[in-house]
Amino acid sequence: MISSLFNTFIYNPIYNALAVLVHIVPGGDVGIAIIILTLIIKFALFPLSLKALRTQAAMRDIDPLLKDLRKKYENNKEELAKKTLALLTEKKVNPFASIFLILIQLPIIFGLYFVFLLEGGGSGFDPALLYSFVPQPAEASLSFLGLINITGKSIILAALVAVTQYINAQLMQFPEPQGKEGSLSHDLSKSMQVQMKYVFPVMMGVVAYVVSSAIALYFLVSNLFQLFQELYVRKTIPKPQGQ
């Protein structure tokens, strides 16, 4: 049942959209089609992303007030929960906005992944999966810009994925480690920050190289879009008070 719904509403539409783009793109360059499709979906999700980023900015703005509450009611968890909820309601902040965005994006990300993995494997477009109004691409070139075979591995694309992921990690404003310095919670939070900034970019680069250049291209475009999105938000959203 879940598989059928996923194919009907996620996989098949993305698959057909890619087929249309390959049909339109000069030379049937699948790599260029992947870039265009990724950007279309990212722009479609941008309003949700912007809302989530605004929420993050608001959370940073009231962070000093939250710290005061945690300090004041550190021995009364029930009262702390009530005061925290009251503060969020007063400031009209929904901390679950980012979670909602992730839940919306997950099936789309999986759909993109499987479509690019299949097409990137060189199997071509399956006529049985194409809608009646979608033309079968006359040609589908798996050589991105005539330089990179997206069915294979590309150390260049993988390296660019790692670098752009690292840049995005540096731009992210991570919350301060919780707990007193030297405590278990503080050390765990600090360790997570280090992993997100340094280990995760390397892992993304390795995955981008191992899977295929098609997936690496998708990761790269996504990272670049996220980078420009962050820069845009920084110019349009006021900085937290005191900064």
Side-chain angles (χ1 to χ4, degrees), residues 48-139:
L48 291 176
S49 300
L50 186 60
K51 185 176 181 179
L53 290 171
R54 290 185 185 278
T55 297
Q56 293 174 14
M59 288 295 293
R60 291 195 298 268
D61 198 24
I62 66 173
D63 187 57
L65 299 177
L66 291 173
K67 288 180 179 178
D68 290 341
L69 289 177
R70 286 194 291 267
K71 184 176 180 180
K72 184 177 181 180
Y73 300 102
E74 59 181 344
N75 296 321
N76 190 338
K77 302 300 181 183
E78 182 177 349
E79 190 65 21
L80 174 60
K82 290 181 180 179
K83 294 295 184 179
T84 300
L85 181 59
L87 177 61
L88 294 175
T89 302
E90 177 188 349
K91 300 298 182 179
K92 298 180 180 180
V93 176
N94 179 12
F96 300 106
S98 297
I99 298 177
F100 177 71
L101 174 63
I102 293 174
L103 292 177
I104 291 293
Q105 288 191 96
L106 272 179
I108 297 176
I109 291 173
F110 281 120
L112 286 167
Y113 175 81
F114 287 121
V115 167
F116 294 164
L117 186 63
L118 176 61
E119 182 55 32
S123 58
F125 289 96
D126 184 356
L129 295 178
L130 296 179
Y131 299 144
S132 60
F133 55 85
V134 174
Q136 174 80 21
E139 56 179 333

Coordinates of all heavy atoms in Angstrom, one line a residue, residues 48-139:
L48 N 8.4 26.8 2.2 CA 8.4 26.0 3.5 C 9.8 26.1 4.2 O 9.9 26.3 5.4 CB 8.1 24.5 3.2 CG 6.7 24.2 2.8 CD1 6.6 22.7 2.5 CD2 5.7 24.6 3.9
S49 N 10.8 26.1 3.4 CA 12.2 26.3 3.9 C 12.4 27.6 4.6 O 13.0 27.8 5.6 CB 13.2 26.1 2.8 OG 13.1 24.8 2.2
L50 N 11.8 28.7 3.9 CA 11.9 30.0 4.4 C 11.2 30.1 5.8 O 11.7 30.8 6.7 CB 11.4 31.0 3.4 CG 11.5 32.5 3.8 CD1 13.0 32.8 3.9 CD2 10.9 33.3 2.7
K51 N 10.0 29.5 5.9 CA 9.3 29.5 7.1 C 10.1 28.9 8.2 O 10.1 29.4 9.4 CB 7.9 28.8 6.9 CG 7.0 28.9 8.1 CD 5.7 28.3 7.9 CE 4.8 28.4 9.1 NZ 3.4 27.8 8.8
A52 N 10.7 27.7 7.9 CA 11.5 27.0 8.9 C 12.7 27.8 9.4 O 13.0 27.9 10.5 CB 11.9 25.7 8.4
L53 N 13.3 28.5 8.4 CA 14.5 29.3 8.7 C 14.1 30.5 9.6 O 14.8 31.0 10.5 CB 15.2 29.8 7.5 CG 15.9 28.6 6.7 CD1 16.4 29.1 5.3 CD2 17.1 28.1 7.5
R54 N 12.9 31.1 9.3 CA 12.4 32.2 10.1 C 12.2 31.7 11.5 O 12.4 32.5 12.5 CB 11.2 32.8 9.5 CG 11.4 33.5 8.2 CD 10.1 34.2 7.7 NE 10.2 34.8 6.4 CZ 10.8 36.0 6.2 NH1 11.2 36.7 7.2 NH2 10.9 36.5 5.0
T55 N 11.7 30.5 11.7 CA 11.5 29.9 13.0 C 12.8 29.8 13.7 O 12.9 30.1 14.9 CB 10.7 28.6 12.9 OG1 9.5 28.8 12.3 CG2 10.6 27.9 14.3
Q56 N 13.8 29.3 13.0 CA 15.1 29.1 13.6 C 15.7 30.5 14.1 O 16.3 30.6 15.2 CB 16.1 28.5 12.6 CG 15.7 27.0 12.3 CD 16.6 26.5 11.2 OE1 17.6 27.0 10.9 NE2 16.2 25.3 10.7
A57 N 15.5 31.5 13.3 CA 15.9 32.8 13.7 C 15.2 33.3 14.9 O 15.8 33.9 15.8 CB 15.7 33.8 12.5
A58 N 13.9 33.1 15.0 CA 13.1 33.5 16.2 C 13.5 32.7 17.4 O 13.6 33.3 18.5 CB 11.6 33.2 15.9
M59 N 13.9 31.4 17.2 CA 14.3 30.6 18.4 C 15.7 31.2 18.9 O 15.9 31.2 20.1 CB 14.5 29.2 17.9 CG 13.2 28.4 17.7 SD 12.2 28.3 19.2 CE 13.2 27.2 20.2
R60 N 16.5 31.6 18.0 CA 17.8 32.2 18.4 C 17.6 33.5 19.1 O 18.3 33.8 20.1 CB 18.7 32.4 17.2 CG 19.3 31.2 16.6 CD 20.4 31.5 15.6 NE 20.1 32.3 14.5 CZ 19.6 31.9 13.3 NH1 19.5 30.6 13.1 NH2 19.3 32.8 12.4
D61 N 16.6 34.2 18.7 CA 16.2 35.5 19.3 C 15.8 35.4 20.7 O 16.1 36.2 21.6 CB 15.2 36.2 18.4 CG 15.1 37.7 18.7 OD1 16.2 38.3 19.2 OD2 14.1 38.3 18.5
I62 N 15.0 34.3 21.0 CA 14.5 34.2 22.4 C 15.3 33.2 23.2 O 15.0 32.9 24.4 CB 13.0 33.6 22.4 CG1 13.0 32.2 21.8 CG2 12.1 34.6 21.6 CD1 11.6 31.6 21.9
D63 N 16.5 32.8 22.6 CA 17.3 31.8 23.4 C 17.7 32.3 24.7 O 17.7 31.6 25.7 CB 18.5 31.5 22.5 CG 19.4 30.4 23.1 OD1 18.8 29.3 23.3 OD2 20.6 30.6 23.4
P64 N 18.1 33.6 24.9 CA 18.4 34.1 26.2 C 17.3 34.0 27.2 O 17.5 33.6 28.4 CB 18.8 35.6 26.0 CG 19.2 35.7 24.6 CD 18.3 34.7 23.9
L65 N 16.1 34.2 26.8 CA 14.9 34.0 27.7 C 14.7 32.6 28.1 O 14.4 32.3 29.2 CB 13.7 34.6 27.0 CG 13.7 36.0 26.6 CD1 12.4 36.4 25.9 CD2 13.8 36.9 27.8
L66 N 15.0 31.7 27.1 CA 14.8 30.2 27.4 C 15.9 29.8 28.4 O 15.6 29.0 29.3 CB 15.0 29.4 26.1 CG 13.8 29.6 25.1 CD1 14.1 28.8 23.8 CD2 12.5 29.0 25.7
K67 N 17.1 30.3 28.3 CA 18.2 30.0 29.2 C 17.8 30.5 30.6 O 18.1 29.8 31.6 CB 19.5 30.6 28.8 CG 20.1 30.0 27.5 CD 21.4 30.7 27.1 CE 22.0 30.0 25.9 NZ 23.3 30.7 25.5
D68 N 17.2 31.7 30.7 CA 16.8 32.2 32.0 C 15.8 31.3 32.6 O 15.8 31.0 33.9 CB 16.2 33.6 31.9 CG 17.3 34.6 31.5 OD1 18.5 34.3 31.8 OD2 17.0 35.7 31.0
L69 N 14.8 30.8 31.8 CA 13.8 29.9 32.3 C 14.4 28.6 32.8 O 14.0 28.0 33.9 CB 12.7 29.6 31.3 CG 11.8 30.8 30.9 CD1 10.9 30.3 29.8 CD2 11.0 31.2 32.1
R70 N 15.3 28.0 32.0 CA 16.0 26.7 32.4 C 16.7 26.9 33.7 O 16.8 26.0 34.5 CB 16.9 26.3 31.3 CG 16.2 25.7 30.1 CD 17.1 24.9 29.2 NE 18.1 25.8 28.5 CZ 17.9 26.3 27.3 NH1 16.8 26.1 26.6 NH2 18.8 27.1 26.8
K71 N 17.4 28.0 33.9 CA 18.1 28.3 35.1 C 17.2 28.5 36.3 O 17.4 28.0 37.4 CB 19.0 29.5 34.9 CG 19.9 29.8 36.1 CD 20.9 31.0 35.8 CE 21.8 31.2 37.0 NZ 22.7 32.4 36.8
K72 N 16.1 29.2 36.1 CA 15.2 29.5 37.2 C 14.4 28.3 37.6 O 14.1 28.2 38.8 CB 14.2 30.6 36.7 CG 13.3 31.1 37.8 CD 12.4 32.3 37.2 CE 11.5 32.8 38.3 NZ 10.6 33.9 37.8
Y73 N 14.0 27.5 36.7 CA 13.2 26.3 37.0 C 13.9 25.0 36.8 O 13.3 24.0 36.4 CB 11.9 26.3 36.2 CG 11.0 27.5 36.4 CD1 11.1 28.6 35.5 CD2 10.2 27.7 37.5 CE1 10.3 29.7 35.6 CE2 9.5 28.8 37.7 CZ 9.5 29.8 36.8 OH 8.7 30.9 37.0
E74 N 15.2 25.0 37.0 CA 16.0 23.8 36.8 C 15.6 22.6 37.7 O 15.8 21.4 37.3 CB 17.5 24.0 37.0 CG 17.9 24.5 38.3 CD 19.4 24.8 38.4 OE1 20.1 24.3 37.5 OE2 19.8 25.5 39.4
N75 N 15.0 22.9 38.8 CA 14.6 21.8 39.7 C 13.0 21.5 39.6 O 12.5 20.8 40.4 CB 14.9 22.2 41.2 CG 16.5 22.3 41.3 OD1 17.2 21.5 40.8 ND2 16.9 23.2 42.1
N76 N 12.4 22.2 38.7 CA 10.9 22.0 38.5 C 10.6 21.9 37.0 O 10.3 22.8 36.4 CB 10.2 23.2 39.1 CG 8.7 23.0 39.2 OD1 8.1 22.2 38.5 ND2 8.0 23.8 40.1
K77 N 10.7 20.6 36.6 CA 10.6 20.4 35.1 C 9.2 20.7 34.6 O 9.0 21.1 33.5 CB 10.9 18.9 34.9 CG 12.3 18.5 35.3 CD 13.4 19.3 34.5 CE 14.8 18.9 34.9 NZ 15.8 19.7 34.2
E78 N 8.2 20.4 35.5 CA 6.8 20.7 35.0 C 6.5 22.1 34.8 O 5.9 22.6 33.8 CB 5.8 20.1 36.1 CG 4.4 20.3 35.7 CD 3.4 19.7 36.7 OE1 3.9 18.9 37.6 OE2 2.2 19.9 36.6
E79 N 7.0 23.0 35.8 CA 6.8 24.4 35.7 C 7.7 25.0 34.5 O 7.2 25.9 33.8 CB 7.3 25.1 37.0 CG 6.9 26.6 37.0 CD 5.4 26.8 37.0 OE1 4.6 25.9 37.4 OE2 5.0 28.0 36.7
L80 N 8.8 24.4 34.3 CA 9.7 24.8 33.2 C 9.0 24.6 31.8 O 9.0 25.4 31.0 CB 11.0 24.0 33.2 CG 12.0 24.2 32.0 CD1 12.4 25.7 31.9 CD2 13.2 23.4 32.1
A81 N 8.3 23.4 31.7 CA 7.6 23.1 30.5 C 6.5 24.1 30.3 O 6.2 24.6 29.1 CB 7.1 21.7 30.6
K82 N 5.7 24.4 31.3 CA 4.6 25.4 31.2 C 5.1 26.8 30.8 O 4.5 27.4 29.9 CB 3.9 25.5 32.5 CG 3.1 24.2 32.9 CD 2.4 24.4 34.2 CE 1.6 23.1 34.6 NZ 0.9 23.3 35.9
K83 N 6.2 27.2 31.4 CA 6.7 28.6 31.2 C 7.3 28.6 29.7 O 7.2 29.6 29.0 CB 7.8 28.9 32.2 CG 7.3 29.1 33.6 CD 6.3 30.3 33.7 CE 5.9 30.5 35.1 NZ 5.0 31.7 35.3
T84 N 7.9 27.5 29.3 CA 8.5 27.5 28.0 C 7.4 27.6 26.9 O 7.5 28.3 25.9 CB 9.3 26.2 27.8 OG1 10.4 26.2 28.7 CG2 9.9 26.1 26.4
L85 N 6.4 26.8 27.1 CA 5.2 26.8 26.2 C 4.6 28.1 26.2 O 4.2 28.6 25.1 CB 4.2 25.7 26.6 CG 3.0 25.6 25.7 CD1 3.4 25.3 24.3 CD2 2.0 24.5 26.3
A86 N 4.4 28.8 27.3 CA 3.8 30.1 27.4 C 4.7 31.1 26.6 O 4.2 32.0 25.9 CB 3.7 30.6 28.8
L87 N 6.0 31.0 26.7 CA 6.9 31.9 26.0 C 6.8 31.8 24.5 O 6.8 32.7 23.8 CB 8.3 31.7 26.5 CG 9.4 32.6 25.8 CD1 9.2 34.1 26.0 CD2 10.8 32.2 26.3
L88 N 6.8 30.5 24.1 CA 6.7 30.2 22.7 C 5.4 30.7 22.1 O 5.3 31.2 21.0 CB 6.9 28.7 22.4 CG 8.2 28.1 22.7 CD1 8.2 26.6 22.5 CD2 9.3 28.7 21.9
T89 N 4.3 30.6 22.9 CA 3.0 31.1 22.4 C 3.0 32.6 22.3 O 2.5 33.1 21.4 CB 1.9 30.6 23.4 OG1 1.9 29.1 23.5 CG2 0.5 31.0 22.9
E90 N 3.6 33.2 23.3 CA 3.6 34.7 23.4 C 4.4 35.2 22.2 O 4.0 36.2 21.5 CB 4.3 35.1 24.7 CG 4.4 36.7 24.8 CD 5.3 37.1 26.0 OE1 5.5 36.2 26.8 OE2 5.6 38.3 26.0
K91 N 5.5 34.6 21.8 CA 6.4 35.0 20.7 C 5.9 34.5 19.4 O 6.5 34.8 18.4 CB 7.8 34.6 21.0 CG 8.4 35.2 22.3 CD 8.5 36.7 22.2 CE 9.1 37.3 23.5 NZ 9.2 38.8 23.5
K92 N 4.9 33.7 19.4 CA 4.3 33.1 18.2 C 5.4 32.3 17.4 O 5.6 32.4 16.2 CB 3.7 34.2 17.3 CG 2.6 34.9 17.9 CD 2.0 36.0 17.0 CE 0.9 36.8 17.6 NZ 0.3 37.8 16.7
V93 N 6.1 31.4 18.2 CA 7.1 30.6 17.6 C 6.7 29.1 17.6 O 6.3 28.6 18.7 CB 8.4 30.7 18.4 CG1 9.5 29.8 17.8 CG2 8.9 32.2 18.3
N94 N 6.7 28.5 16.5 CA 6.4 27.1 16.4 C 7.7 26.3 16.2 O 8.2 26.2 15.1 CB 5.5 26.8 15.2 CG 5.1 25.3 15.1 OD1 5.4 24.5 15.9 ND2 4.5 25.0 13.9
P95 N 8.2 25.6 17.3 CA 9.5 24.9 17.2 C 9.4 23.7 16.3 O 10.4 23.1 15.9 CB 9.8 24.5 18.6 CG 8.4 24.5 19.3 CD 7.6 25.5 18.6
F96 N 8.2 23.3 15.9 CA 8.0 22.1 15.1 C 8.0 22.4 13.6 O 7.8 21.5 12.7 CB 6.7 21.3 15.4 CG 6.7 20.9 16.9 CD1 5.9 21.5 17.8 CD2 7.5 19.8 17.3 CE1 5.9 21.2 19.1 CE2 7.5 19.4 18.6 CZ 6.7 20.1 19.6
A97 N 8.2 23.6 13.2 CA 8.1 24.0 11.8 C 9.2 23.3 11.0 O 9.0 22.8 9.9 CB 8.3 25.5 11.6
S98 N 10.4 23.2 11.6 CA 11.5 22.5 10.9 C 11.3 21.0 10.7 O 11.6 20.5 9.7 CB 12.8 22.7 11.6 OG 13.2 24.1 11.7
I99 N 10.6 20.4 11.7 CA 10.3 19.0 11.7 C 9.3 18.8 10.6 O 9.4 17.8 9.8 CB 9.8 18.5 13.0 CG1 10.8 18.7 14.1 CG2 9.3 17.1 12.9 CD1 10.4 18.3 15.5
F100 N 8.3 19.6 10.5 CA 7.3 19.5 9.4 C 7.9 19.6 8.0 O 7.6 18.8 7.1 CB 6.2 20.6 9.6 CG 5.2 20.6 8.5 CD1 4.2 19.6 8.5 CD2 5.2 21.6 7.5 CE1 3.3 19.6 7.5 CE2 4.2 21.6 6.5 CZ 3.2 20.6 6.5
L101 N 8.9 20.5 7.9 CA 9.6 20.6 6.6 C 10.3 19.4 6.2 O 10.3 18.9 5.1 CB 10.6 21.8 6.6 CG 11.5 22.0 5.4 CD1 10.6 22.3 4.2 CD2 12.5 23.1 5.7
I102 N 11.0 18.8 7.2 CA 11.7 17.5 7.0 C 10.8 16.4 6.6 O 11.1 15.6 5.6 CB 12.5 17.1 8.3 CG1 13.6 18.2 8.5 CG2 13.1 15.7 8.1 CD1 14.4 17.9 9.8
L103 N 9.6 16.3 7.3 CA 8.7 15.3 6.9 C 8.1 15.4 5.5 O 7.9 14.4 4.8 CB 7.5 15.3 7.9 CG 7.9 14.9 9.4 CD1 6.7 15.0 10.3 CD2 8.4 13.4 9.4
I104 N 8.0 16.7 5.1 CA 7.5 16.9 3.7 C 8.5 16.6 2.7 O 8.2 16.0 1.6 CB 7.1 18.4 3.6 CG1 5.8 18.7 4.4 CG2 6.8 18.8 2.1 CD1 4.6 18.1 3.9
Q105 N 9.8 16.9 3.0 CA 10.8 16.7 2.0 C 11.3 15.2 1.9 O 11.8 14.8 0.8 CB 12.1 17.5 2.4 CG 11.9 19.0 2.2 CD 13.2 19.8 2.3 OE1 13.8 20.1 1.4 NE2 13.5 20.1 3.6
L106 N 11.2 14.5 3.0 CA 11.8 13.1 3.0 C 11.3 12.2 1.8 O 12.1 11.7 1.1 CB 11.5 12.4 4.3 CG 12.5 12.6 5.4 CD1 12.1 11.9 6.7 CD2 13.9 12.2 5.0
P107 N 10.0 12.1 1.6 CA 9.5 11.3 0.5 C 10.0 11.8 -0.9 O 10.3 11.0 -1.8 CB 8.0 11.3 0.6 CG 7.7 12.5 1.4 CD 8.8 12.6 2.3
I108 N 10.1 13.1 -1.0 CA 10.6 13.7 -2.3 C 12.0 13.4 -2.5 O 12.5 13.1 -3.6 CB 10.3 15.2 -2.3 CG1 8.8 15.5 -2.2 CG2 10.9 15.9 -3.5 CD1 8.5 17.0 -2.1
I109 N 12.8 13.5 -1.4 CA 14.2 13.2 -1.5 C 14.5 11.8 -1.9 O 15.3 11.5 -2.7 CB 14.9 13.5 -0.1 CG1 14.9 15.0 0.1 CG2 16.3 13.0 -0.1 CD1 15.5 15.4 1.5
F110 N 13.7 10.9 -1.3 CA 13.8 9.4 -1.6 C 13.4 9.2 -3.1 O 14.0 8.4 -3.8 CB 13.0 8.6 -0.7 CG 13.6 8.3 0.7 CD1 12.9 8.7 1.8 CD2 14.8 7.7 0.8 CE1 13.5 8.5 3.1 CE2 15.4 7.4 2.0 CZ 14.7 7.8 3.2
G111 N 12.3 9.9 -3.5 CA 11.9 9.8 -4.9 C 13.0 10.2 -5.8 O 13.3 9.6 -6.8
L112 N 13.6 11.4 -5.6 CA 14.7 11.9 -6.4 C 15.8 10.9 -6.4 O 16.4 10.6 -7.5 CB 15.2 13.2 -5.9 CG 14.3 14.5 -6.1 CD1 14.7 15.6 -5.3 CD2 14.3 14.8 -7.6
Y113 N 16.2 10.4 -5.2 CA 17.3 9.5 -5.1 C 17.1 8.2 -6.0 O 18.0 7.9 -6.8 CB 17.5 9.0 -3.7 CG 18.5 8.0 -3.5 CD1 19.9 8.4 -3.4 CD2 18.2 6.7 -3.4 CE1 20.9 7.4 -3.2 CE2 19.2 5.7 -3.2 CZ 20.5 6.1 -3.1 OH 21.5 5.1 -2.9
F114 N 15.9 7.6 -5.9 CA 15.7 6.4 -6.6 C 15.6 6.6 -8.1 O 16.0 5.8 -9.0 CB 14.4 5.7 -6.1 CG 14.6 5.0 -4.8 CD1 13.8 5.4 -3.7 CD2 15.6 4.1 -4.6 CE1 14.0 4.8 -2.5 CE2 15.7 3.5 -3.3 CZ 14.9 3.9 -2.3
V115 N 15.0 7.8 -8.5 CA 14.9 8.1 -9.9 C 16.3 8.3 -10.5 O 16.6 7.8 -11.6 CB 14.0 9.3 -10.2 CG1 14.2 9.9 -11.6 CG2 12.5 9.0 -9.9
F116 N 17.1 9.1 -9.8 CA 18.4 9.4 -10.3 C 19.3 8.2 -10.3 O 20.2 8.0 -11.1 CB 19.1 10.5 -9.5 CG 18.4 11.9 -9.6 CD1 18.6 12.9 -8.7 CD2 17.5 12.1 -10.7 CE1 18.0 14.1 -8.8 CE2 16.9 13.3 -10.8 CZ 17.1 14.3 -9.9
L117 N 19.1 7.3 -9.3 CA 19.9 6.1 -9.2 C 19.5 5.2 -10.4 O 20.4 4.6 -11.0 CB 19.5 5.4 -7.9 CG 20.4 4.1 -7.6 CD1 21.9 4.5 -7.4 CD2 19.9 3.4 -6.3
L118 N 18.2 5.1 -10.7 CA 17.8 4.2 -11.8 C 18.3 4.8 -13.2 O 18.9 4.1 -14.0 CB 16.3 4.1 -11.9 CG 15.7 3.3 -13.0 CD1 16.2 1.9 -13.0 CD2 14.2 3.3 -13.0
E119 N 18.0 6.1 -13.4 CA 18.4 6.7 -14.7 C 19.9 6.8 -14.8 O 20.5 6.6 -15.8 CB 17.8 8.1 -14.8 CG 18.1 8.8 -16.1 CD 17.8 7.9 -17.4 OE1 16.8 7.2 -17.3 OE2 18.5 8.0 -18.4
G120 N 20.6 7.1 -13.6 CA 22.0 7.2 -13.6 C 22.7 5.8 -13.8 O 23.9 5.8 -14.0
G121 N 21.9 4.7 -13.7 CA 22.5 3.4 -13.9 C 22.6 3.1 -15.4 O 23.0 2.0 -15.8
G122 N 22.0 3.9 -16.2 CA 22.1 3.7 -17.7 C 21.1 2.8 -18.2 O 21.2 2.3 -19.4
S123 N 20.0 2.6 -17.4 CA 19.0 1.7 -17.9 C 18.0 2.3 -18.9 O 17.2 1.6 -19.6 CB 18.2 1.1 -16.7 OG 17.6 2.2 -16.0
G124 N 18.0 3.7 -19.0 CA 17.2 4.4 -19.9 C 15.8 4.5 -19.3 O 15.4 3.9 -18.3
F125 N 14.9 5.2 -20.0 CA 13.5 5.4 -19.6 C 12.6 4.2 -20.0 O 12.6 3.8 -21.1 CB 13.0 6.7 -20.1 CG 13.6 7.9 -19.5 CD1 14.7 8.6 -20.1 CD2 13.2 8.4 -18.3 CE1 15.3 9.7 -19.6 CE2 13.8 9.6 -17.7 CZ 14.8 10.2 -18.4
D126 N 11.9 3.7 -19.0 CA 11.0 2.6 -19.2 C 9.7 3.2 -19.8 O 9.0 3.9 -19.0 CB 10.8 1.9 -17.9 CG 9.9 0.6 -18.1 OD1 9.4 0.4 -19.2 OD2 9.7 -0.1 -17.1
P127 N 9.3 2.8 -21.0 CA 8.0 3.3 -21.6 C 6.8 3.0 -20.7 O 5.8 3.7 -20.7 CB 7.9 2.6 -22.9 CG 9.4 2.3 -23.2 CD 10.0 2.0 -21.9
A128 N 6.9 1.9 -20.0 CA 5.8 1.5 -19.1 C 5.5 2.4 -18.0 O 4.4 2.5 -17.4 CB 6.0 0.1 -18.6
L129 N 6.5 3.2 -17.6 CA 6.4 4.1 -16.5 C 6.1 5.6 -16.9 O 5.7 6.4 -16.1 CB 7.7 4.2 -15.7 CG 8.1 2.9 -15.0 CD1 9.5 3.1 -14.3 CD2 7.1 2.5 -14.0
L130 N 6.1 5.8 -18.2 CA 5.8 7.1 -18.8 C 4.3 7.3 -18.9 O 3.6 6.4 -19.4 CB 6.5 7.3 -20.1 CG 8.1 7.3 -20.1 CD1 8.6 7.5 -21.5 CD2 8.6 8.4 -19.1
Y131 N 3.9 8.5 -18.6 CA 2.5 8.9 -18.8 C 2.2 8.9 -20.3 O 3.1 9.1 -21.1 CB 2.1 10.2 -18.2 CG 2.3 10.3 -16.7 CD1 2.8 11.5 -16.1 CD2 2.1 9.2 -15.9 CE1 3.0 11.5 -14.7 CE2 2.2 9.2 -14.5 CZ 2.7 10.4 -13.9 OH 2.9 10.5 -12.5
S132 N 0.9 8.8 -20.7 CA 0.6 8.8 -22.1 C 1.0 10.1 -22.8 O 1.2 10.0 -24.0 CB -0.9 8.5 -22.2 OG -1.7 9.5 -21.6
F133 N 1.0 11.2 -22.1 CA 1.3 12.5 -22.7 C 2.8 12.8 -22.7 O 3.2 13.9 -23.1 CB 0.4 13.6 -22.1 CG 0.6 13.7 -20.6 CD1 1.6 14.4 -20.1 CD2 -0.3 13.0 -19.8 CE1 1.8 14.5 -18.7 CE2 -0.1 13.1 -18.4 CZ 0.9 13.9 -17.9
V134 N 3.6 12.0 -22.1 CA 5.0 12.2 -22.0 C 5.7 11.5 -23.1 O 5.6 10.3 -23.2 CB 5.5 11.8 -20.6 CG1 7.1 11.9 -20.5 CG2 4.9 12.6 -19.5
P135 N 6.5 12.2 -23.9 CA 7.2 11.6 -25.0 C 8.4 10.8 -24.6 O 9.0 11.2 -23.6 CB 7.6 12.8 -25.9 CG 7.7 13.9 -24.9 CD 6.7 13.7 -23.9
Q136 N 8.7 9.8 -25.2 CA 9.9 9.0 -25.0 C 11.1 9.8 -25.5 O 11.1 10.2 -26.7 CB 9.8 7.6 -25.7 CG 11.1 6.8 -25.6 CD 11.2 6.1 -24.3 OE1 10.2 5.9 -23.6 NE2 12.4 5.7 -23.9
P137 N 12.0 10.1 -24.6 CA 13.2 10.9 -25.1 C 13.9 10.3 -26.3 O 14.2 9.1 -26.3 CB 14.1 11.0 -23.9 CG 13.2 10.8 -22.7 CD 12.1 9.9 -23.2
A138 N 14.1 11.0 -27.4 CA 14.7 10.5 -28.6 C 16.1 10.1 -28.3 O 16.6 9.1 -28.8 CB 14.6 11.5 -29.7
E139 N 16.8 10.8 -27.4 CA 18.1 10.5 -27.0 C 18.3 10.9 -25.6 O 17.8 11.8 -25.1 CB 19.2 11.2 -27.9 CG 19.0 12.7 -27.9 CD 20.1 13.4 -28.8 OE1 21.2 12.8 -28.9 OE2 19.8 14.5 -29.3

